[in-house]
């Protein structure tokens, strides 16, 4: 599995950056130039080159703002997924440098240097292309550092679902209490946009934050995950959809290990003030916050017991653009298992069940291959509003697949889509009932704030 | 074989007549011929009829059409049949059985009486062929001349029926030599006529005949009176026979209003074969070529064949372009951007170690897919628009085209680089492209304006899933009919044709490698190997023959072509790898012969070389072989196989399908079994529990009904599964469940195949209309095991007994549960190259919606399954390095649930919802098979079982 992303200026064909994930070498300049040249030649003939497929790899070209061309090449990915990736990469660039810089590249060399800040973000997005088979050693090295003093297996915690265009959340009974604190803090910051993150997943957020485009939310939270280890940071950012040319300040403050607070604000207050405010607002509930971190890899309360055949699930709200992913749904709570051995998730697995990393991969693959292309056909096509209703009606309600080693079932009810990973021994027809049950448990509980 | 050889040696210098007697002795063994002779003794009267002239004179007719390279595509449509088809689509059994007595004589004619004629003809054909092979293209030139269409002086034909007078100078003393079977109208007027409700209708012209020369009459005209005397079917011959001196005849003729059929007749008048537009497009290379090319230029389609090497910087603009269609390479959409694809093709292997398969581009706001096919150092590019087929569909279609081109030309390089062949090639490519653009309507459209209308309107031309798969659609017939087909094909393959009247050649001209029969576009039986069948089917499909066969009736169809079967290239590869291979193919040549009559088609693959004669040059079709094939078709029709096939197509008895409307109706009337509750109950105990009781419903079934509920528990290792055997359901529905010892390989897909061989013994087709097996074939398979149906082999009875069986056969229900809930299914056997699917779906409004969903999803599932299939093919060492998504490699079942809202009926206000599954299942053992089913979501189904029942239907 290899993913390449190339960025080239449209006008001069100058390479701005090349990123690569997985094995293989970075593409030499000559190949980059040729890939760009092919696109350019087609454009001169009034033909737009979109993609090329080989038996295992897909290449996608896309031009943004008439000034840069992004090329992606990845194995085991379909064209639509790569297009999403390119769109996200472009928005990540926009987030860091603003739309004006991209539209008018005056000095390509300087622009190239400016773009360096978005490398970690782009790398993280590429990680999301094919979860587990990407070797994580190089890719998320920067991410491991942050909380490593507390959790040796923190990569596991930070290995988010990384579904492009959706923001990851977690389900907790504590949300109500924390909401008040968050509102108070946002008021202090003089901002409408604030959210509380637990290992890079949104726990609670202000209404204005929820109104942001899902991709903006995803990029902002990813930014905290990939930023260098510290206890607070202040980054100037542009919002790709809300304000592509006027920058905001993104204030990030670590409250307790694993839990941090994000706020978008104007020129004031300063970072040190913001840190001070955070301490004021959240200090009293520090113990509370610490206990919340224990939800992390499971991502939903331990008090909820799912059927023993359920290995993991992915719950998506297509309207808000958020999801919860749990790939160790039926493992022992973390605090219990960690007391005995360091990594024992494998031991508590049912027989023949895939490992947790594999589960994540299966769920993601199921999402990309079956659910995204079938269940969400109507909902994802925002630009085709005219046939939205009919398309939603005609898009499937459920889908499933059976593999030799596992079974997956996806179900859509209203705006909620639930994908569940089962052990392979569960009867096919039982999956439907279990999924309906699970969906009910997770979405109808008012306390969970789904 | 041995006896034949001896026979040949003996007769080497013997007298011709001796040999004949010899031959007839051999052939008298078969029942057919003995019947023939008995007929011959009794037969005396005139047998000249329309159908007769088809079987008698046609060899002469098609011999004129043979091309200089021996290739032949001769199609003559059947005007009367055509009419009948439009009148009513159903074929009445009675009318066809009535037709037999008159048909039988004609089939006999050549077997005995026609031998001498055939011999003469045969020599003629050889001479003919020698003339041609001398290098003169005279015949071709002659054909060109004939093709010049007559000026459209008929354009002023009145739109209403009108009668007009035609004057003909007839001379009964000068009789053209049309043979003794010719009718008086044929000899005198040069008209072939048919009777239609006592009216005399012109169906054809005798070549060079009187009427044909005068050019005043048209096909389909009705002759009302001759010299003022009213003419009917009864007195037509007597009126003409009364003419015994040269005189002037004035015929009053009633012309039909100008229809589309007639329009083509006008164009065809010079060629004098009646052809429907489809037949015309298939057989006439270069017809309307300019218009079609113009039409194709309007759409984003194109084919380009390029050299990969030897390109220089400053070469000419069209450097490296070996072939380009449509238009010149400047007007072709691929022409200007070909450099980009060439670059990509050479560049991408440097990055990924795999060559590009396809590209997508955006031209004028329309997405177009480009498919790459490499051969050696040359590259074929095919462009097709996205709104006609998705990228996977495009790939499949293009690969079939490539298969076809390789089959007919050996290699793409040979196909595209030969200079003289471009009319044929253009014809093939234009057919392919117009089929993609216009689907079934491709042959009807030949001018730009209608074409533009067709493409602009949102016309559903998405290719059907069933038609894209590289497999022939099989129509499973009753057992006896299958046996009869196999017998008939075997007899043809035994190749007794050659030496029954052979006196000169000691070796056969051709060896018959195999043959297969199509009826109305469905494969009835095949004796071809898997690879050959795929080749042959690709040929028939690309040439439009499957479509022709399905929708139109032909009077006569003869196609002859040299081919290069794909087993050869495979064989060569094998031979290279180990030189000590046991069997090597002879260095011969291969020919494809397709013979068709009405809606039946017999495809034969012939081999020259090896144990048969080596040929050189371009041999034309051999009359003997063509007639043998025609006779096989006649024989099959005579014994009623085709009637049964038609009947089978019409009734579609099994497996039964349902429509959303009936489902809704039955749901409102009968109590719905709550399966979900049942499942939940069982689930709470443990899922090892059996589920068979769920499907036993306490409905009003008789106590004799029985259900076999074989359910296999899904288990990860396939070892601990057991079959649960639901026994008799008694009146009060206490289900008796017995768990049988597990015999996994038997029950799983392995049995699918086994049952092809054994199933026939299980389900007997004899008249078991007894009360003990009322409802279920499963019951039959249990109680009748081992009972072989010893039905009478009397041919005359066969047809009747089979028909009776058709009526008596109990429809097979595929699904579990009380009601039938299957909407559609496709069973694809990739190892055999055949697929099973309903021949026609239920007539209902909703079904088309459901079907389009089904096809779309099935294509998606099929694509997904390719991951699993290709991974299984990899060796373990390769597998670890391959770039396949590891989570996809073991998927064997995939299902999607759709919702369909039924249209609200009269008094009901709320529209009721119907949910249905589209499920695909992949089987590996013993050979890859795929099953796709669309069924209503009311009772859970086990796909393994469903597939098993489906495969069982092929046993008849």
């Amino acid at each position: 599995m290899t993913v390449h992303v190339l960025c080239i200026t449209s006008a001069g064909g100058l390479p701005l950056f090349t990123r690569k994930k997985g094995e293989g070498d970075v593409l030499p300049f000559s190949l980059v130039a040729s890939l760009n040249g092919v696109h350019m030649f087609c454009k001169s003939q009034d033909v737009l080159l979109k993609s090329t497929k080989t038996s295992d790899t897909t290449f996608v070209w896309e031009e943004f703002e008439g000034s840069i061309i992004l090329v992606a090449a990845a194995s085991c990915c379909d064209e639509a997924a790569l297009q999403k990736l390119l769109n996200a990469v472009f928005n990540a660039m926009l987030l860091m440098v603003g739309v004006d810089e991209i539209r008018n590249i005056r000095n390509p060399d300087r622009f190239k240097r400016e773009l360096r800040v978005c490398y970690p973000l782009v790398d993280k997005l590429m990680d999301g292309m094919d979860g587990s088979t990407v070797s994580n050693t190089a890719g998320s090295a920067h991410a491991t550092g942050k909380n490593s003093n507390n959790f040796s297996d923190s990569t596991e915690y930070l290995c988010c679902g990384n579904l492009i265009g959706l923001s990851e959340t977690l389900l907790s009974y504590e949300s109500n209490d924390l909401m008040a604190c968050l509102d108070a803090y946002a008021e202090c910051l003089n901002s409408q946009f604030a959210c509380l993150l637990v290992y890079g997943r949104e726990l609670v957020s202000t209404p204005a934050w929820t109104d942001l485009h899902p991709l903006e939310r995803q990029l902002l939270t990813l930014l905290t995950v990939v930023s260098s280890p510290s206890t607070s940071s202040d980054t100037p950012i542009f919002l790709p959809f809300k304000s592509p040319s006027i920058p905001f300040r993104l204030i990030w403050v670590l409250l307790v290990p694993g839990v941090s607070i994000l706020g978008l604000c104007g020129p004031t207050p300063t970072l040190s003030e913001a840190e001070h405010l955070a301490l004021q607002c959240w200090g009293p509930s520090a113990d509370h916050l610490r206990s919340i971190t224990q939800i992390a890899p499971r991502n939903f309360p331990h008090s909820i017991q799912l059927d023993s055949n359920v290995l993991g699930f992915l719950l998506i709200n297509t309207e808000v653009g958020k999801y919860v992913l749990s790939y160790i749904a039926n493992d022992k709570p973390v605090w219990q298992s960690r007391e005995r051995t360091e990594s024992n998730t494998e031991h508590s697995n049912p027989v023949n069940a895939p490992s947790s990393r594999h589960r994540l991969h299966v769920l993601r693959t199921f999402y990309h291959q079956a659910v995204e292309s079938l269940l969400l056909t109507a909902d994802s096509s925002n630009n085709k509003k005219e046939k939205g209703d009919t398309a939603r009606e005609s898009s499937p309600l459920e889908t499933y697949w059976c593999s030799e080693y596992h079974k997956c079932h996806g179900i859509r009810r209203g705006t909620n889509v639930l994908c569940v990973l089962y052990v392979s021994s569960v009867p096919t027809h039982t999956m439907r009932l279990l999924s309906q049950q699970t969906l009910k448990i997770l979405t109808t509980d008012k306390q969970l704030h789904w | 074989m041995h006896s034949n050889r001896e026979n040949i040696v003996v007769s080497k210098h013997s007298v011709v007549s001796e040999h004949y007697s010899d031959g007839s002795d051999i052939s008298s063994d078969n029942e057919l011929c003995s019947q023939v002779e008995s007929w011959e003794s009794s037969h005396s009267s005139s047998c000249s009829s329309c159908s007769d002239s088809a079987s008698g004179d046609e060899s002469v007719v098609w011999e004129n059409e043979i091309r200089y390279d021996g290739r032949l595509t001769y199609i003559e449509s059947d005007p009367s049949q055509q009419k009948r088809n439009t009148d009513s689509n159903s074929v009445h059994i009675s009318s066809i059985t009535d037709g037999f007595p008159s048909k039988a004589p004609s089939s006999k004619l050549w077997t005995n009486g026609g031998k001498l004629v055939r011999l003469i003809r045969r020599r003629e054909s050889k001479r003919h062929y020698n003339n041609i092979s001398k290098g003169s293209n005279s015949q071709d030139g002659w054909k060109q001349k004939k093709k010049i269409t007559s000026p459209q002086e008929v354009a002023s034909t009145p739109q209403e029926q009108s009668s007009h007078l035609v004057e003909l100078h007839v001379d009964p003393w000068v009789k053209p030599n049309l043979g003794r079977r010719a009718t008086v109208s044929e000899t005198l007027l040069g008209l072939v006529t048919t009777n239609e409700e006592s009216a005399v209708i012109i169906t054809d012209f005798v070549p060079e005949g009187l009427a044909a020369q005068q050019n005043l009459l048209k096909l389909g005209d009705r002759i009302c009176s001759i010299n003022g005397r009213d003419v009917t079917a009864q007195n037509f011959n007597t009126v003409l026979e009364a003419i015994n001196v040269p005189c002037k005849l004035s015929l009053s003729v009633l012309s039909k209003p100008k229809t589309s059929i007639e329009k083509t007749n006008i164009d065809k008048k010079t060629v004098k074969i009646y052809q429907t537009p489809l037949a015309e497009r298939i057989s006439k290379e270069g017809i309307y070529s300019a218009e079609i090319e113009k039409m194709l230029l309007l759409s984003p389609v194109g084919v380009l064949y390029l050299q990969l090497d030897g390109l220089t910087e400053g070469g000419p603009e069209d450097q490296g372009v070996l072939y380009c269609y449509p238009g010149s390479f400047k007007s072709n959409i691929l022409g200007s951007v070909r450099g980009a694809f060439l670059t990509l093709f050479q560049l991408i292997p440097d990055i990924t170690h795999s060559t590009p398969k396809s590209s997508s581009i955006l031209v004028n706001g329309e997405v177009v897919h480009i498919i790459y096919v490499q051969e050696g150092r040359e590259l074929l590019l095919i462009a097709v628009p996205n709104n006609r087929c998705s990228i996977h569909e495009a790939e499949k279609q293009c690969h079939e085209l490539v298969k076809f081109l390789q089959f007919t030309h050996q290699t793409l390089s040979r196909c595209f680089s030969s200079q003289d062949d471009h009319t044929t090639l253009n014809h093939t490519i234009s057919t392919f492209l117009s089929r993609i653009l216009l689907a079934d309507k491709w042959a009807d459209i030949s001018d730009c304006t209608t074409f533009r209308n067709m493409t602009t309107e949102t016309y559903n031309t998405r290719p059907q899933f069933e038609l894209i798969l590289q497999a022939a659609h099989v129509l499973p017939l009753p057992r006896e009919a299958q046996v009869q087909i196999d017998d008939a094909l075997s007899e043809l393959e035994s190749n007794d044709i050659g030496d029954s009247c052979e006196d000169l050649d000691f070796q056969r001209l051709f060896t018959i490698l195999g043959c297969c029969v199509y009826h109305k576009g469905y494969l009835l039986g095949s004796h071809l190997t898997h690879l050959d069948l795929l080749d042959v089917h690709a040929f028939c499909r690309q040439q439009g023959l499957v479509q022709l066969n399905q929708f139109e009736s032909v009077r006569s169809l003869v196609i002859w072509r040299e081919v290069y079967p794909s087993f050869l290239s495979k064989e060569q590869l094998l031979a290279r790898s180990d030189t000590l291979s046991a069997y090597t193919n002879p260095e011969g040549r291969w020919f494809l012969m397709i013979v068709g009559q009405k809606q039946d088609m017999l495809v034969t693959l012939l081999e020259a070389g090896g144990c048969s004669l080596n040929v050189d040059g371009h041999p034309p079709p051999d009359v003997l072989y063509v007639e043998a094939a025609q006779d096989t078709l006649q024989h099959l029709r005579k014994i009623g196989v085709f009637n049964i096939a038609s009947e089978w197509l019409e009734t579609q008895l099994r497996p039964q399908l349902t429509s959303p409307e009936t489902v809704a109706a039955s749901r409102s009337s009968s109590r719905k079994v709550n399966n979900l509750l049942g499942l939940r109950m069982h689930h709470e105990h443990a899922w090892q529990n059996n589920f068979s009781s769920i499907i036993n419903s306490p409905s009003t079934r008789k106590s004799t009904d029985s259900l076999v509920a074989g359910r296999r528990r899904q288990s990860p290792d396939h070892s601990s599964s057991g079959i649960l055997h639901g026994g008799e359901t008694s009146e009060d529905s206490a289900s008796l469940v017995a768990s049988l010892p597990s015999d996994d390989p038997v029950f799983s897909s392995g049995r699918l195949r086994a049952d092809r061989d054994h199933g026939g013994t299980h389900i007997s087709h004899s008249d078991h209309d007894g009360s003990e097996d009322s409802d279920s074939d499963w019951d039959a398979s249990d109680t009748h095991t081992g009972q072989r149906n010893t039905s009478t082999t009397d041919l005359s009875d066969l047809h009747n007994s089979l028909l009776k069986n058709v009526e008596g056969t109990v429809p097979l229900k595929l699904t579990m549960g009380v009601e039938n809930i299957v909407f559609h299914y496709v069973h694809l056997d990739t190892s055999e190259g055949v697929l099973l699917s309903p021949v026609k779906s239920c007539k209902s409004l909703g079904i088309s919606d459901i079907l389009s969903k089904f096809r779309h999803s099935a294509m998606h599932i099929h694509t997904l399954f390719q991951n699993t299939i290709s991974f299984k093919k990899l060796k373990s060492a390769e597998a670890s390095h391959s770039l396949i998504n590891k989570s996809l490699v073991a998927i064997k079942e995939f299902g999607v649930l759709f919702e369909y809202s039924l249209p609200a009926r009269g008094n009901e206000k709320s529209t009721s919802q119907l949910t249905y599954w589209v499920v695909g299942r992949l089987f590996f053992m013993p050979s890859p098979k795929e099953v796709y089913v669309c069924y209503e979501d009311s009772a859970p189904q086990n796909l393994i079982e469903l597939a098993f029942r489906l495969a069982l239907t092929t046993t008849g």
Side-chain angles (χ1 to χ4, degrees), chain B residues 643-660:
Chain B
N643 285 338
I644 287 159
S646 301
E647 182 78 345
W648 213 240
L649 282 172
E650 281 306 309
T651 50
Q652 181 62 45
L653 278 174
R654 58 148 97 197
Q656 215 171 38
L657 300 178
T658 186
S659 70

mmCIF file of all heavy atoms in Angstrom, chain B residues 643-660:
data_model
loop_
_atom_site.group_PDB
_atom_site.id
_atom_site.type_symbol
_atom_site.label_atom_id
_atom_site.label_comp_id
_atom_site.label_asym_id
_atom_site.label_seq_id
_atom_site.Cartn_x
_atom_site.Cartn_y
_atom_site.Cartn_z
ATOM 1 N N ASN B 643 -40.048 -26.182 -30.435
ATOM 2 C CA ASN B 643 -41.370 -25.814 -29.912
ATOM 3 C C ASN B 643 -41.360 -25.813 -28.410
ATOM 4 O O ASN B 643 -41.939 -24.941 -27.770
ATOM 5 C CB ASN B 643 -42.415 -26.813 -30.395
ATOM 6 C CG ASN B 643 -42.736 -26.564 -31.837
ATOM 7 O OD1 ASN B 643 -42.516 -25.471 -32.335
ATOM 8 N ND2 ASN B 643 -43.226 -27.572 -32.507
ATOM 9 N N ILE B 644 -40.714 -26.826 -27.882
ATOM 10 C CA ILE B 644 -40.652 -26.902 -26.425
ATOM 11 C C ILE B 644 -39.886 -25.711 -25.879
ATOM 12 O O ILE B 644 -40.292 -25.102 -24.898
ATOM 13 C CB ILE B 644 -40.010 -28.224 -26.005
ATOM 14 C CG1 ILE B 644 -40.994 -29.341 -26.261
ATOM 15 C CG2 ILE B 644 -39.623 -28.202 -24.554
ATOM 16 C CD1 ILE B 644 -40.387 -30.669 -26.365
ATOM 17 N N ALA B 645 -38.816 -25.378 -26.565
ATOM 18 C CA ALA B 645 -38.035 -24.226 -26.107
ATOM 19 C C ALA B 645 -38.900 -22.970 -26.127
ATOM 20 O O ALA B 645 -38.882 -22.183 -25.186
ATOM 21 C CB ALA B 645 -36.807 -24.051 -26.977
ATOM 22 N N SER B 646 -39.652 -22.795 -27.206
ATOM 23 C CA SER B 646 -40.520 -21.616 -27.290
ATOM 24 C C SER B 646 -41.540 -21.635 -26.179
ATOM 25 O O SER B 646 -41.793 -20.619 -25.520
ATOM 26 C CB SER B 646 -41.247 -21.577 -28.628
ATOM 27 O OG SER B 646 -40.328 -21.539 -29.661
ATOM 28 N N GLU B 647 -42.108 -22.809 -26.012
ATOM 29 C CA GLU B 647 -43.115 -22.963 -24.974
ATOM 30 C C GLU B 647 -42.515 -22.660 -23.612
ATOM 31 O O GLU B 647 -43.095 -21.958 -22.784
ATOM 32 C CB GLU B 647 -43.638 -24.401 -25.016
ATOM 33 C CG GLU B 647 -44.725 -24.681 -24.029
ATOM 34 C CD GLU B 647 -46.065 -24.129 -24.510
ATOM 35 O OE1 GLU B 647 -46.083 -23.308 -25.443
ATOM 36 O OE2 GLU B 647 -47.060 -24.531 -23.939
ATOM 37 N N TRP B 648 -41.342 -23.157 -23.417
ATOM 38 C CA TRP B 648 -40.630 -22.971 -22.154
ATOM 39 C C TRP B 648 -40.366 -21.491 -21.920
ATOM 40 O O TRP B 648 -40.492 -20.987 -20.818
ATOM 41 C CB TRP B 648 -39.328 -23.756 -22.253
ATOM 42 C CG TRP B 648 -38.831 -24.361 -20.995
ATOM 43 C CD1 TRP B 648 -37.632 -24.107 -20.401
ATOM 44 C CD2 TRP B 648 -39.457 -25.350 -20.193
ATOM 45 N NE1 TRP B 648 -37.499 -24.864 -19.282
ATOM 46 C CE2 TRP B 648 -38.599 -25.639 -19.118
ATOM 47 C CE3 TRP B 648 -40.678 -26.021 -20.267
ATOM 48 C CZ2 TRP B 648 -38.907 -26.557 -18.122
ATOM 49 C CZ3 TRP B 648 -40.972 -26.948 -19.282
ATOM 50 C CH2 TRP B 648 -40.099 -27.203 -18.239
ATOM 51 N N LEU B 649 -39.991 -20.837 -23.015
ATOM 52 C CA LEU B 649 -39.733 -19.398 -22.911
ATOM 53 C C LEU B 649 -41.004 -18.655 -22.555
ATOM 54 O O LEU B 649 -40.999 -17.714 -21.769
ATOM 55 C CB LEU B 649 -39.228 -18.863 -24.249
ATOM 56 C CG LEU B 649 -37.784 -19.120 -24.606
ATOM 57 C CD1 LEU B 649 -37.528 -18.688 -26.026
ATOM 58 C CD2 LEU B 649 -36.890 -18.343 -23.675
ATOM 59 N N GLU B 650 -42.092 -19.092 -23.164
ATOM 60 C CA GLU B 650 -43.350 -18.396 -22.946
ATOM 61 C C GLU B 650 -43.844 -18.578 -21.525
ATOM 62 O O GLU B 650 -44.229 -17.633 -20.855
ATOM 63 C CB GLU B 650 -44.414 -18.927 -23.920
ATOM 64 C CG GLU B 650 -44.302 -18.378 -25.306
ATOM 65 C CD GLU B 650 -44.306 -16.870 -25.315
ATOM 66 O OE1 GLU B 650 -45.200 -16.294 -24.704
ATOM 67 O OE2 GLU B 650 -43.384 -16.288 -25.910
ATOM 68 N N THR B 651 -43.837 -19.823 -21.100
ATOM 69 C CA THR B 651 -44.480 -20.101 -19.831
ATOM 70 C C THR B 651 -43.582 -19.772 -18.662
ATOM 71 O O THR B 651 -44.041 -19.354 -17.618
ATOM 72 C CB THR B 651 -44.881 -21.573 -19.764
ATOM 73 O OG1 THR B 651 -43.743 -22.353 -20.124
ATOM 74 C CG2 THR B 651 -46.023 -21.844 -20.702
ATOM 75 N N GLN B 652 -42.287 -20.001 -18.845
ATOM 76 C CA GLN B 652 -41.347 -19.701 -17.771
ATOM 77 C C GLN B 652 -41.820 -20.367 -16.482
ATOM 78 O O GLN B 652 -42.129 -19.756 -15.480
ATOM 79 C CB GLN B 652 -41.247 -18.173 -17.594
ATOM 80 C CG GLN B 652 -40.295 -17.711 -16.527
ATOM 81 C CD GLN B 652 -38.899 -18.132 -16.842
ATOM 82 O OE1 GLN B 652 -38.427 -18.002 -17.951
ATOM 83 N NE2 GLN B 652 -38.191 -18.688 -15.868
ATOM 84 N N LEU B 653 -41.917 -21.661 -16.578
ATOM 85 C CA LEU B 653 -42.533 -22.370 -15.464
ATOM 86 C C LEU B 653 -41.640 -22.447 -14.249
ATOM 87 O O LEU B 653 -42.100 -22.403 -13.131
ATOM 88 C CB LEU B 653 -42.917 -23.777 -15.911
ATOM 89 C CG LEU B 653 -44.240 -23.802 -16.665
ATOM 90 C CD1 LEU B 653 -44.504 -25.167 -17.196
ATOM 91 C CD2 LEU B 653 -45.358 -23.372 -15.739
ATOM 92 N N ARG B 654 -40.385 -22.618 -14.488
ATOM 93 C CA ARG B 654 -39.554 -22.756 -13.303
ATOM 94 C C ARG B 654 -38.181 -22.180 -13.526
ATOM 95 O O ARG B 654 -37.683 -22.248 -14.636
ATOM 96 C CB ARG B 654 -39.452 -24.210 -12.919
ATOM 97 C CG ARG B 654 -38.873 -25.047 -14.094
ATOM 98 C CD ARG B 654 -38.117 -26.151 -13.632
ATOM 99 N NE ARG B 654 -38.863 -27.382 -13.594
ATOM 100 C CZ ARG B 654 -38.433 -28.402 -12.890
ATOM 101 N NH1 ARG B 654 -37.394 -28.287 -12.152
ATOM 102 N NH2 ARG B 654 -39.033 -29.541 -12.948
ATOM 103 N N PRO B 655 -37.568 -21.670 -12.550
ATOM 104 C CA PRO B 655 -38.126 -21.390 -11.236
ATOM 105 C C PRO B 655 -39.074 -20.208 -11.350
ATOM 106 O O PRO B 655 -38.849 -19.310 -12.143
ATOM 107 C CB PRO B 655 -36.926 -21.011 -10.393
ATOM 108 C CG PRO B 655 -35.751 -21.203 -11.254
ATOM 109 C CD PRO B 655 -36.187 -21.259 -12.664
ATOM 110 N N GLN B 656 -40.076 -20.231 -10.566
ATOM 111 C CA GLN B 656 -41.103 -19.219 -10.711
ATOM 112 C C GLN B 656 -40.637 -17.877 -10.150
ATOM 113 O O GLN B 656 -39.928 -17.838 -9.152
ATOM 114 C CB GLN B 656 -42.346 -19.666 -9.979
ATOM 115 C CG GLN B 656 -43.601 -19.220 -10.681
ATOM 116 C CD GLN B 656 -44.809 -19.859 -10.067
ATOM 117 O OE1 GLN B 656 -44.856 -20.020 -8.853
ATOM 118 N NE2 GLN B 656 -45.763 -20.235 -10.879
ATOM 119 N N LEU B 657 -41.089 -16.845 -10.803
ATOM 120 C CA LEU B 657 -40.768 -15.497 -10.332
ATOM 121 C C LEU B 657 -42.040 -14.825 -9.865
ATOM 122 O O LEU B 657 -43.135 -15.289 -10.123
ATOM 123 C CB LEU B 657 -40.167 -14.682 -11.470
ATOM 124 C CG LEU B 657 -38.896 -15.233 -12.070
ATOM 125 C CD1 LEU B 657 -38.473 -14.345 -13.205
ATOM 126 C CD2 LEU B 657 -37.814 -15.294 -11.032
ATOM 127 N N THR B 658 -41.866 -13.732 -9.243
ATOM 128 C CA THR B 658 -43.034 -12.998 -8.797
ATOM 129 C C THR B 658 -42.829 -11.527 -9.084
ATOM 130 O O THR B 658 -41.744 -11.108 -9.477
ATOM 131 C CB THR B 658 -43.275 -13.247 -7.297
ATOM 132 O OG1 THR B 658 -44.490 -12.644 -6.940
ATOM 133 C CG2 THR B 658 -42.160 -12.676 -6.462
ATOM 134 N N SER B 659 -43.841 -10.765 -8.941
ATOM 135 C CA SER B 659 -43.748 -9.333 -9.194
ATOM 136 C C SER B 659 -44.146 -8.593 -7.928
ATOM 137 O O SER B 659 -44.835 -9.149 -7.077
ATOM 138 C CB SER B 659 -44.681 -8.943 -10.341
ATOM 139 O OG SER B 659 -46.006 -9.052 -9.916
ATOM 140 N N PRO B 660 -43.710 -7.364 -7.810
ATOM 141 C CA PRO B 660 -44.020 -6.626 -6.574
ATOM 142 C C PRO B 660 -45.515 -6.549 -6.316
ATOM 143 O O PRO B 660 -45.947 -6.562 -5.175
ATOM 144 C CB PRO B 660 -43.418 -5.248 -6.814
ATOM 145 C CG PRO B 660 -43.004 -5.211 -8.221
ATOM 146 C CD PRO B 660 -42.831 -6.595 -8.673
#
